[in-house]
């Protein structure tokens, strides 16, 4: 019976990934987490849209209210900050079309368990996304596919108003990571990865945690950090070595997979994309096509 209940919960959660409706009950969370006040939201959207027209620093593929709102939510509802993020996001897309254009999004199921998620979204953690780079075989697919997979997770996730508000927490598990892996991370790849972390993506980044990492990786990380812009994001990066107790001080075990001393069963990118493909609709296809992805 427990197994059946778990299966039913998962199916409900997968179907909810297609939810594009604003939840009135989430207004308090939006105010606390994103500084969003229903009395000023419409005015902030208009101000952001006017900035786009007047400054001409970017040319977004969408300018509707729902689209601009995700950038405001990612920057505490401050139009000027949201505009800077929008410019970064569009510049990133313009400079890296190979990460989106004509990519078969469903084909990224090949990444398997390299990326996982926990479909247990709480206000203090948001959506937990896990990267297990040690499971990646550089001989099987290029490092660009890692960036593509992470971007895909974010692009699909950020379509949900709920996740725009709750944001997400990233957990990078370095177990099994070797020099063969690390040699793939050139400065340009590192900059792309840091842009995905939050510098150039409209996500409410709650924290970035690194577990099972060696001193070599930590040193390499801090070297690449110098290439990135100064940002408050760095205050939310935490290295835990092999210490699960340290990790638990930041992420409640209730939200973590069992392998990290938690209570959850994570969902692989392969399974998640398979379920997205199962429950997707015309609106989803249109959104993906507008982003540049190949849609069947």
């Amino acid at each position: 019976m427990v197994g059946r209940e778990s299966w039913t919960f998962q199916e409900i959660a997968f179907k909810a990934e297609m939810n594009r409706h604003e939840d009135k009950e989430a207004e308090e969370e939006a105010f606390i987490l994103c500084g969003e006040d229903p009395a000023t939201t419409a005015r902030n959207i208009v101000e952001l849209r006017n900035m786009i027209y007047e400054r001409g620093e970017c040319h977004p593929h969408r300018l509707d209210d729902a689209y601009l709102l995700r950038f405001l939510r990612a920057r505490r509802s401050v139009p000027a900050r949201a505009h800077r993020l929008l410019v970064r996001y569009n510049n990133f897309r313009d400079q890296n079309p190979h990460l989106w254009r004509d990519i078969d999004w469903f084909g990224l199921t090949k990444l398997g368990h390299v990326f996982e998620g926990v479909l247990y979204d709480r206000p203090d953690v948001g959506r937990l996304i896990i990267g297990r780079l040690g499971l990646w075989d550089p001989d099987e697919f290029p490092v660009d596919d890692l960036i593509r997979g992470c971007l895909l997770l974010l692009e699909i996730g950020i379509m949900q108003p709920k996740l725009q508000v709750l944001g997400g927490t990233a957990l990078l598990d370095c177990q099994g990571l070797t020099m063969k892996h690390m040699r793939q991370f050139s400065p340009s790849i590192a900059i792309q990865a840091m842009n995905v972390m939050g510098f150039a993506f409209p996500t409410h980044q709650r924290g970035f945690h690194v577990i099972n990492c060696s001193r070599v990786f930590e040193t390499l990380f801090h070297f690449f950090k110098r290439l990135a812009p100064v940002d408050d994001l760095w205050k939310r990066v935490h290295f835990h070595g092999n210490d699960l107790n340290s990790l638990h001080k930041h992420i409640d075990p209730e939200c973590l997979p069992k392998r990290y001393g938690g209570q959850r069963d994570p969902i692989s990118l392969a399974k998640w994309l398979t379920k997205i493909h199962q429950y997707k609709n015309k609106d989803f296809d249109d959104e993906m096509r507008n982003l540049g992805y190949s849609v069947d």
Side-chain angles (χ1 to χ4, degrees), residues 91-132:
N91 287 343
F92 180 58
R93 283 179 56 84
D94 290 344
Q95 293 162 9
N96 300 279
H98 64 289
L99 298 177
W100 281 276
R101 187 173 297 160
D102 298 327
I103 295 297
D104 174 15
W105 66 267
F106 188 62
L108 290 172
T109 52
K110 65 185 179 183
L111 291 171
H113 284 268
V114 173
F115 292 108
E116 295 178 334
V118 176
L119 302 184
Y120 182 69
D121 309 319
R122 281 193 351 188
D124 57 331
V125 174
R127 172 69 55 87
L128 179 64
I129 300 297
I130 304 159
R132 303 173 67 192

Side-chain angles (χ1 to χ4, degrees), residues 58-70:
C58 63
H59 303 283
H61 68 285
R62 288 174 57 185
L63 284 170
D64 56 277
D65 289 4
Y67 184 71
L68 297 183
L69 185 57
R70 66 180 64 173

Side-chain angles (χ1 to χ4, degrees), residues 32-264:
I32 294 171
L33 298 174
C34 306
E36 186 173 307
D37 184 346
T40 60
T41 297
R43 186 172 69 224
N44 287 337
I45 291 173
V46 170
E47 186 176 342
L48 175 55
R49 186 178 292 114
N50 288 340
M51 285 183 183
I52 295 168
Y53 286 132
E54 293 167 3
R55 299 184 183 184
E57 296 176 52
C58 63
H59 303 283
H61 68 285
R62 288 174 57 185
L63 284 170
D64 56 277
D65 289 4
Y67 184 71
L68 297 183
L69 185 57
R70 66 180 64 173
F71 288 88
L72 285 163
R73 284 172 167 165
R75 289 298 182 265
R76 294 289 301 174
S77 300
V78 179
R81 294 184 63 206
H83 181 263
R84 286 196 296 272
L85 175 61
L86 184 58
V87 171
R88 283 183 182 177
Y89 174 75
N90 277 266
N91 287 343
F92 180 58
R93 283 179 56 84
D94 290 344
Q95 293 162 9
N96 300 279
H98 64 289
L99 298 177
W100 281 276
R101 187 173 297 160
D102 298 327
I103 295 297
D104 174 15
W105 66 267
F106 188 62
L108 290 172
T109 52
K110 65 185 179 183
L111 291 171
H113 284 268
V114 173
F115 292 108
E116 295 178 334
V118 176
L119 302 184
Y120 182 69
D121 309 319
R122 281 193 351 188
D124 57 331
V125 174
R127 172 69 55 87
L128 179 64
I129 300 297
I130 304 159
R132 303 173 67 192
L133 299 188
L135 299 182
W136 161 51
D137 183 353
D139 294 328
E140 186 176 349
F141 47 83
V143 67
D144 282 344
D145 279 346
L146 291 184
I147 306 295
R148 291 182 181 117
C150 190
L151 278 172
L152 183 62
L153 274 168
L154 295 174
E155 289 285 13
I156 294 177
I158 206 66
M159 293 176 186
Q160 289 188 63
K162 177 188 72 171
L163 293 184
Q164 293 170 18
V165 171
L166 295 182
T169 298
L171 176 61
L172 180 62
D173 185 345
C174 297
Q175 185 173 12
L177 202 64
T178 66
M179 289 304 299
K180 180 179 180 180
H181 293 101
M182 289 191 280
R183 280 195 293 267
Q184 310 299 315
F185 294 100
S186 65
S188 62
I189 291 294
I191 290 173
Q192 288 176 10
M194 287 184 283
N195 277 316
V196 174
M197 281 172 56
F199 293 120
F201 200 89
T203 183
H204 182 195
Q205 178 60 263
R206 310 298 299 278
F208 189 90
H209 301 268
V210 186
I211 192 76
N212 297 324
C213 61
S214 67
R215 287 292 183 184
V216 174
F217 180 85
E218 190 170 342
T219 300
L220 186 65
F221 184 93
H222 286 294
F223 170 76
F224 284 133
K225 174 183 172 182
R226 301 175 189 173
L227 305 175
V230 176
D231 195 285
D232 286 344
L233 175 64
W234 295 119
K235 298 176 183 176
R236 297 189 288 278
V237 176
H238 305 277
F239 287 86
H240 303 285
N242 299 303
D243 187 354
L244 289 179
N245 289 327
S246 174
L247 179 65
H248 295 169
K249 291 177 182 177
H250 295 270
I251 305 177
D252 189 330
E254 188 179 21
C255 303
L256 287 166
K258 295 169 184 174
R259 78 171 72 94
Y260 307 115
Q263 303 175 21
R264 303 291 155 189

